[in-house]
Amino acid sequence: MEKMIAGKPITVNEEGYLTNFNQWDEKIGEAIAAEANISLTPRHWDVIKYLQTEEKNQVPLSIRRVGKSGVVDIKEFYSLFPNAPLKTATKIAGIPKPASCI
Amino acid sequence: MNENNGAIKKMMIILSKGTLENVYAAFVLANGARMEGIEAEMFFTFFGLEAVHQKKLAHLHTATVGNPAMHIPTMLGGLPGMEAFATSMMKKEMEKIDMPDVQEFLEILSASGVKLWACKLAMDMFHYKKEDLYEGIDEVITVGDFYKKSEGDGVHMLFI
């Protein structure tokens, strides 16, 4: 389905995740973050860029892996993205929702 | 169950068993709740205390006797070494799926904001002191305290 995000028609799935990363840019990320009541700081961007790189390298994402990334620890990850950090951060990053249980 | 359309706001997970598979089940459920933005608290009681006992948490075993799903005949399951063998097999498989060990899992839970409570009655029964437990244990509390913490809309309780 299509959704207007930051003034552009963007293809998203029923949960609001982008289905085509090529449509993503930082303005889109900021708009999705605003919907989740998050205003993005440089620390948020560090995490978002890291997640995008991992996704590009086809690394399966999990809370544990993010915690070991050296980019952010689990505590800070939860404080940056308070509600469901991995789900929220990947949505902002324009990448698919991870299917991990850990 | 109709409040907030049945949305789950908080999981109260009671762990009463110290076998590896039960401990992991409880940890995955608590962590999984946090990952979904649901609050989670854990209450460790009876043998569940082994999962947070500093000297014991790294040595939890899976049970080979009285567990039909292991597909080991009970008589064989009781042979010396069987439990250690099954446990090491299980730990190997867990490593493959990126499952942390008990100590690391506790650290993940603490960092994720899961409250960890130890049961006072069970602590007294086993003669454990708070210093014996994993440092991230928030407090030793009574069952009454735990019920008090469970008040509110959308709170679910789970006994393992």
Side-chain angles (χ1 to χ4, degrees):
Chain A
M1 56 190 243
E2 270 199 352
K3 189 180 171 190
M4 289 301 283
I5 305 176
K8 286 184 207 159
I10 303 293
T11 318
V12 296
N13 69 11
E14 62 283 355
E15 287 184 292
Y17 288 79
L18 268 66
T19 51
N20 178 4
F21 182 68
N22 290 326
Q23 292 185 324
W24 186 89
D25 60 34
E26 296 195 352
K27 287 263 171 285
I28 304 282
E30 275 166 12
I32 299 173
E35 273 181 43
N37 296 317
I38 295 171
S39 62
L40 298 175
T41 66
R43 284 301 287 147
H44 289 94
W45 283 113
D46 291 344
V47 176
I48 291 164
K49 300 283 175 193
Y50 158 76
L51 293 173
Q52 288 171 338
T53 311
E54 293 288 273
E55 170 65 20
K56 204 194 277 171
N57 298 331
Q58 300 187 322
V59 179
L61 294 167
S62 67
I63 290 274
R64 183 191 191 201
R65 211 176 277 273
V66 172
K68 287 188 162 190
S69 63
V71 175
V72 66
D73 63 24
I74 294 176
K75 209 168 187 172
E76 191 187 0
F77 192 34
Y78 271 95
S79 75
L80 290 171
F81 304 93
N83 219 353
L86 198 55
K87 280 172 74 180
T88 310
T90 48
K91 192 188 269 188
I92 295 168
I95 60 178
K97 183 174 98 171
S100 93
C101 290
I102 305 167
Chain B
M1 244 8 137
N2 284 329
E3 75 226 6
N4 310 310
N5 292 321
I8 302 174
K9 284 195 181 163
K10 183 153 83 168
M11 288 300 296
M12 305 298 285
I13 299 170
I14 303 158
L15 179 64
S16 69
K17 299 189 181 75
T19 39
L20 200 55
E21 68 273 21
N22 286 298
V23 170
Y24 271 98
F27 284 3
V28 170
L29 285 161
N31 181 57
R34 294 298 301 127
M35 284 175 72
E36 293 299 316
I38 297 166
E39 285 179 64
E41 303 193 13
M42 298 190 73
F43 187 60
F44 297 91
T45 187
F46 283 83
F47 297 110
L49 278 174
E50 302 243 322
V52 288
H53 191 285
Q54 302 243 35
K55 292 208 172 96
K56 303 188 176 189
L57 60 85
H59 309 286
L60 302 181
H61 273 190
T62 184
T64 49
V65 172
N67 180 4
M70 284 295 284
H71 303 291
I72 297 174
T74 295
M75 293 296 284
L76 290 183
L79 289 176
M82 272 312 268
E83 215 176 72
F85 171 71
T87 301
S88 84
M89 287 297 285
M90 191 179 268
K91 283 188 173 169
K92 262 183 208 145
E93 289 304 315
M94 285 176 168
E95 237 170 61
K96 279 189 210 158
I97 57 166
D98 203 28
M99 189 87 106
D101 62 27
V102 173
Q103 171 76 32
E104 190 194 336
F105 219 144
L106 283 170
E107 287 161 13
I108 291 176
L109 293 173
S110 293
S112 306
V114 177
K115 292 261 180 269
L116 305 172
W117 311 111
C119 168
K120 185 177 181 307
L121 183 65
M123 293 279 289
D124 291 347
M125 189 181 119
F126 288 116
H127 306 291
Y128 292 166
K129 290 194 266 319
K130 188 165 188 292
E131 305 87 78
D132 300 330
L133 302 183
Y134 165 64
E135 58 187 13
I137 285 286
D138 288 89
E139 219 180 307
V140 179
I141 63 172
T142 65
V143 65
D145 296 332
F146 185 69
Y147 278 131
K148 198 82 192 151
K149 292 175 191 300
S150 308
E151 286 175 356
D153 288 345
V155 181
H156 291 238
M157 207 176 279
L158 194 60
F159 183 85
I160 298 175

mmCIF file of all heavy atoms in Angstrom, chain A residues 62-65 68 74-75 78 83-84 87 100 102, chain B residues 28 31 34-37 98-100 104 108 111-112:
data_model
loop_
_atom_site.group_PDB
_atom_site.id
_atom_site.type_symbol
_atom_site.label_atom_id
_atom_site.label_comp_id
_atom_site.label_asym_id
_atom_site.label_seq_id
_atom_site.Cartn_x
_atom_site.Cartn_y
_atom_site.Cartn_z
ATOM 1 N N SER A 62 19.215 -8.764 15.910
ATOM 2 C CA SER A 62 18.580 -9.107 17.183
ATOM 3 C C SER A 62 19.055 -8.099 18.224
ATOM 4 O O SER A 62 20.062 -7.422 18.026
ATOM 5 C CB SER A 62 18.965 -10.531 17.613
ATOM 6 O OG SER A 62 20.345 -10.584 17.924
ATOM 7 N N ILE A 63 18.311 -8.020 19.318
ATOM 8 C CA ILE A 63 18.687 -7.113 20.416
ATOM 9 C C ILE A 63 20.103 -7.457 20.891
ATOM 10 O O ILE A 63 20.918 -6.585 21.132
ATOM 11 C CB ILE A 63 17.695 -7.282 21.597
ATOM 12 C CG1 ILE A 63 16.322 -6.725 21.225
ATOM 13 C CG2 ILE A 63 18.236 -6.631 22.857
ATOM 14 C CD1 ILE A 63 16.128 -5.251 21.447
ATOM 15 N N ARG A 64 20.380 -8.758 20.992
ATOM 16 C CA ARG A 64 21.680 -9.182 21.482
ATOM 17 C C ARG A 64 22.801 -8.668 20.579
ATOM 18 O O ARG A 64 23.812 -8.168 21.034
ATOM 19 C CB ARG A 64 21.722 -10.708 21.535
ATOM 20 C CG ARG A 64 23.016 -11.231 22.112
ATOM 21 C CD ARG A 64 23.137 -12.722 21.904
ATOM 22 N NE ARG A 64 24.242 -13.259 22.672
ATOM 23 C CZ ARG A 64 24.824 -14.413 22.398
ATOM 24 N NH1 ARG A 64 24.390 -15.137 21.385
ATOM 25 N NH2 ARG A 64 25.831 -14.844 23.120
ATOM 26 N N ARG A 65 22.596 -8.797 19.264
ATOM 27 C CA ARG A 65 23.610 -8.380 18.308
ATOM 28 C C ARG A 65 23.809 -6.855 18.349
ATOM 29 O O ARG A 65 24.931 -6.372 18.301
ATOM 30 C CB ARG A 65 23.207 -8.819 16.896
ATOM 31 C CG ARG A 65 24.376 -9.130 16.012
ATOM 32 C CD ARG A 65 23.875 -9.645 14.697
ATOM 33 N NE ARG A 65 23.571 -11.054 14.730
ATOM 34 C CZ ARG A 65 24.486 -11.992 14.494
ATOM 35 N NH1 ARG A 65 25.724 -11.665 14.219
ATOM 36 N NH2 ARG A 65 24.153 -13.260 14.517
ATOM 37 N N LYS A 68 25.910 -5.931 21.185
ATOM 38 C CA LYS A 68 27.326 -6.269 21.051
ATOM 39 C C LYS A 68 27.995 -5.491 19.926
ATOM 40 O O LYS A 68 29.173 -5.711 19.640
ATOM 41 C CB LYS A 68 27.459 -7.765 20.755
ATOM 42 C CG LYS A 68 27.165 -8.628 21.959
ATOM 43 C CD LYS A 68 27.495 -10.076 21.654
ATOM 44 C CE LYS A 68 27.613 -10.841 22.966
ATOM 45 N NZ LYS A 68 28.150 -12.173 22.779
ATOM 46 N N ILE A 74 22.523 -2.152 25.107
ATOM 47 C CA ILE A 74 21.084 -2.437 25.132
ATOM 48 C C ILE A 74 20.318 -1.368 25.912
ATOM 49 O O ILE A 74 19.245 -0.932 25.511
ATOM 50 C CB ILE A 74 20.833 -3.855 25.697
ATOM 51 C CG1 ILE A 74 21.421 -4.885 24.723
ATOM 52 C CG2 ILE A 74 19.351 -4.107 25.934
ATOM 53 C CD1 ILE A 74 21.328 -6.315 25.187
ATOM 54 N N LYS A 75 20.920 -0.917 27.022
ATOM 55 C CA LYS A 75 20.250 0.073 27.858
ATOM 56 C C LYS A 75 20.001 1.365 27.069
ATOM 57 O O LYS A 75 18.906 1.919 27.093
ATOM 58 C CB LYS A 75 21.113 0.354 29.086
ATOM 59 C CG LYS A 75 20.316 0.764 30.284
ATOM 60 C CD LYS A 75 21.158 0.740 31.522
ATOM 61 C CE LYS A 75 20.239 0.991 32.716
ATOM 62 N NZ LYS A 75 20.911 0.819 33.977
ATOM 63 N N TYR A 78 17.316 0.981 24.357
ATOM 64 C CA TYR A 78 15.955 1.116 24.893
ATOM 65 C C TYR A 78 15.641 2.565 25.259
ATOM 66 O O TYR A 78 14.480 2.978 25.200
ATOM 67 C CB TYR A 78 15.757 0.216 26.120
ATOM 68 C CG TYR A 78 15.271 -1.180 25.784
ATOM 69 C CD1 TYR A 78 16.158 -2.240 25.627
ATOM 70 C CD2 TYR A 78 13.916 -1.453 25.624
ATOM 71 C CE1 TYR A 78 15.725 -3.518 25.316
ATOM 72 C CE2 TYR A 78 13.458 -2.729 25.326
ATOM 73 C CZ TYR A 78 14.367 -3.754 25.171
ATOM 74 O OH TYR A 78 13.929 -5.019 24.865
ATOM 75 N N ASN A 83 9.920 2.437 23.001
ATOM 76 C CA ASN A 83 8.862 1.444 22.807
ATOM 77 C C ASN A 83 9.281 0.462 21.712
ATOM 78 O O ASN A 83 9.325 0.826 20.553
ATOM 79 C CB ASN A 83 7.573 2.165 22.410
ATOM 80 C CG ASN A 83 6.369 1.536 23.063
ATOM 81 O OD1 ASN A 83 6.482 0.486 23.699
ATOM 82 N ND2 ASN A 83 5.215 2.154 22.888
ATOM 83 N N ALA A 84 9.580 -0.771 22.092
ATOM 84 C CA ALA A 84 9.976 -1.781 21.110
ATOM 85 C C ALA A 84 11.131 -1.290 20.217
ATOM 86 O O ALA A 84 10.931 -1.016 19.033
ATOM 87 C CB ALA A 84 8.777 -2.188 20.258
ATOM 88 N N LYS A 87 11.987 -2.914 16.638
ATOM 89 C CA LYS A 87 10.896 -2.704 15.686
ATOM 90 C C LYS A 87 10.833 -1.243 15.236
ATOM 91 O O LYS A 87 10.687 -0.946 14.054
ATOM 92 C CB LYS A 87 9.548 -3.087 16.322
ATOM 93 C CG LYS A 87 9.269 -4.581 16.331
ATOM 94 C CD LYS A 87 8.044 -4.909 17.141
ATOM 95 C CE LYS A 87 6.744 -4.540 16.453
ATOM 96 N NZ LYS A 87 5.568 -4.892 17.285
ATOM 97 N N SER A 100 13.353 -11.714 14.737
ATOM 98 C CA SER A 100 14.095 -12.400 15.801
ATOM 99 C C SER A 100 13.295 -12.429 17.097
ATOM 100 O O SER A 100 12.451 -11.576 17.339
ATOM 101 C CB SER A 100 15.441 -11.719 16.025
ATOM 102 O OG SER A 100 15.320 -10.764 17.033
ATOM 103 N N ILE A 102 15.021 -12.825 20.062
ATOM 104 C CA ILE A 102 15.949 -12.507 21.152
ATOM 105 C C ILE A 102 16.520 -11.095 20.954
ATOM 106 O O ILE A 102 16.942 -10.742 19.885
ATOM 107 C CB ILE A 102 17.117 -13.519 21.217
ATOM 108 C CG1 ILE A 102 16.570 -14.941 21.317
ATOM 109 C CG2 ILE A 102 17.978 -13.229 22.441
ATOM 110 C CD1 ILE A 102 17.607 -15.990 21.077
ATOM 111 N N VAL B 28 13.118 -15.887 27.493
ATOM 112 C CA VAL B 28 12.728 -15.488 26.131
ATOM 113 C C VAL B 28 11.387 -14.748 26.171
ATOM 114 O O VAL B 28 11.208 -13.738 25.481
ATOM 115 C CB VAL B 28 12.652 -16.721 25.196
ATOM 116 C CG1 VAL B 28 12.007 -16.354 23.864
ATOM 117 C CG2 VAL B 28 14.054 -17.286 24.952
ATOM 118 N N ASN B 31 12.085 -11.217 27.712
ATOM 119 C CA ASN B 31 12.811 -10.389 26.744
ATOM 120 C C ASN B 31 11.923 -10.060 25.539
ATOM 121 O O ASN B 31 11.917 -8.929 25.052
ATOM 122 C CB ASN B 31 14.069 -11.125 26.298
ATOM 123 C CG ASN B 31 14.882 -10.317 25.320
ATOM 124 O OD1 ASN B 31 15.288 -9.201 25.617
ATOM 125 N ND2 ASN B 31 15.104 -10.872 24.138
ATOM 126 N N ARG B 34 9.599 -7.183 26.273
ATOM 127 C CA ARG B 34 10.275 -5.888 26.200
ATOM 128 C C ARG B 34 10.500 -5.481 24.751
ATOM 129 O O ARG B 34 10.370 -4.321 24.402
ATOM 130 C CB ARG B 34 11.615 -5.926 26.958
ATOM 131 C CG ARG B 34 11.501 -6.123 28.454
ATOM 132 C CD ARG B 34 10.742 -4.989 29.133
ATOM 133 N NE ARG B 34 11.366 -3.692 28.921
ATOM 134 C CZ ARG B 34 10.739 -2.617 28.435
ATOM 135 N NH1 ARG B 34 9.462 -2.673 28.110
ATOM 136 N NH2 ARG B 34 11.374 -1.489 28.284
ATOM 137 N N MET B 35 10.852 -6.459 23.919
ATOM 138 C CA MET B 35 11.096 -6.158 22.506
ATOM 139 C C MET B 35 9.847 -5.626 21.815
ATOM 140 O O MET B 35 9.925 -4.930 20.817
ATOM 141 C CB MET B 35 11.583 -7.410 21.766
ATOM 142 C CG MET B 35 13.028 -7.761 22.057
ATOM 143 S SD MET B 35 13.501 -9.306 21.283
ATOM 144 C CE MET B 35 13.562 -8.828 19.565
ATOM 145 N N GLU B 36 8.672 -5.999 22.344
ATOM 146 C CA GLU B 36 7.406 -5.533 21.773
ATOM 147 C C GLU B 36 6.892 -4.282 22.472
ATOM 148 O O GLU B 36 5.762 -3.852 22.227
ATOM 149 C CB GLU B 36 6.346 -6.633 21.884
ATOM 150 C CG GLU B 36 6.624 -7.862 21.036
ATOM 151 C CD GLU B 36 6.691 -7.550 19.545
ATOM 152 O OE1 GLU B 36 5.830 -6.804 19.048
ATOM 153 O OE2 GLU B 36 7.626 -8.034 18.876
ATOM 154 N N GLY B 37 7.690 -3.756 23.380
ATOM 155 C CA GLY B 37 7.246 -2.567 24.104
ATOM 156 C C GLY B 37 6.312 -2.881 25.265
ATOM 157 O O GLY B 37 5.597 -2.008 25.741
ATOM 158 N N ASP B 98 22.185 -18.312 18.249
ATOM 159 C CA ASP B 98 22.554 -17.022 18.828
ATOM 160 C C ASP B 98 21.885 -16.772 20.180
ATOM 161 O O ASP B 98 21.577 -15.646 20.539
ATOM 162 C CB ASP B 98 22.195 -15.887 17.843
ATOM 163 C CG ASP B 98 23.020 -14.637 18.090
ATOM 164 O OD1 ASP B 98 24.152 -14.790 18.584
ATOM 165 O OD2 ASP B 98 22.537 -13.534 17.803
ATOM 166 N N MET B 99 21.642 -17.852 20.930
ATOM 167 C CA MET B 99 21.017 -17.726 22.247
ATOM 168 C C MET B 99 22.118 -17.457 23.275
ATOM 169 O O MET B 99 23.088 -18.197 23.338
ATOM 170 C CB MET B 99 20.308 -19.045 22.567
ATOM 171 C CG MET B 99 19.447 -18.997 23.790
ATOM 172 S SD MET B 99 17.808 -18.420 23.421
ATOM 173 C CE MET B 99 16.893 -19.928 23.540
ATOM 174 N N PRO B 100 21.982 -16.387 24.062
ATOM 175 C CA PRO B 100 23.014 -16.099 25.056
ATOM 176 C C PRO B 100 23.008 -17.114 26.198
ATOM 177 O O PRO B 100 21.992 -17.784 26.416
ATOM 178 C CB PRO B 100 22.618 -14.717 25.578
ATOM 179 C CG PRO B 100 21.192 -14.557 25.263
ATOM 180 C CD PRO B 100 20.894 -15.406 24.072
ATOM 181 N N GLU B 104 24.628 -13.954 30.550
ATOM 182 C CA GLU B 104 24.467 -12.865 29.572
ATOM 183 C C GLU B 104 22.994 -12.522 29.379
ATOM 184 O O GLU B 104 22.626 -11.358 29.220
ATOM 185 C CB GLU B 104 25.096 -13.266 28.230
ATOM 186 C CG GLU B 104 25.156 -12.084 27.272
ATOM 187 C CD GLU B 104 25.454 -12.487 25.835
ATOM 188 O OE1 GLU B 104 26.045 -13.565 25.612
ATOM 189 O OE2 GLU B 104 25.074 -11.717 24.928
ATOM 190 N N ILE B 108 21.126 -8.979 29.686
ATOM 191 C CA ILE B 108 20.253 -8.415 28.653
ATOM 192 C C ILE B 108 18.909 -8.006 29.269
ATOM 193 O O ILE B 108 18.395 -6.928 29.011
ATOM 194 C CB ILE B 108 20.033 -9.437 27.504
ATOM 195 C CG1 ILE B 108 21.341 -9.631 26.721
ATOM 196 C CG2 ILE B 108 18.912 -8.973 26.563
ATOM 197 C CD1 ILE B 108 21.272 -10.683 25.629
ATOM 198 N N ALA B 111 19.312 -4.861 31.372
ATOM 199 C CA ALA B 111 19.525 -3.693 30.514
ATOM 200 C C ALA B 111 18.245 -3.314 29.764
ATOM 201 O O ALA B 111 18.049 -2.162 29.400
ATOM 202 C CB ALA B 111 20.653 -3.960 29.532
ATOM 203 N N SER B 112 17.385 -4.305 29.546
ATOM 204 C CA SER B 112 16.141 -4.055 28.814
ATOM 205 C C SER B 112 15.033 -3.526 29.719
ATOM 206 O O SER B 112 13.927 -3.280 29.268
ATOM 207 C CB SER B 112 15.650 -5.339 28.146
ATOM 208 O OG SER B 112 16.656 -5.892 27.341
#
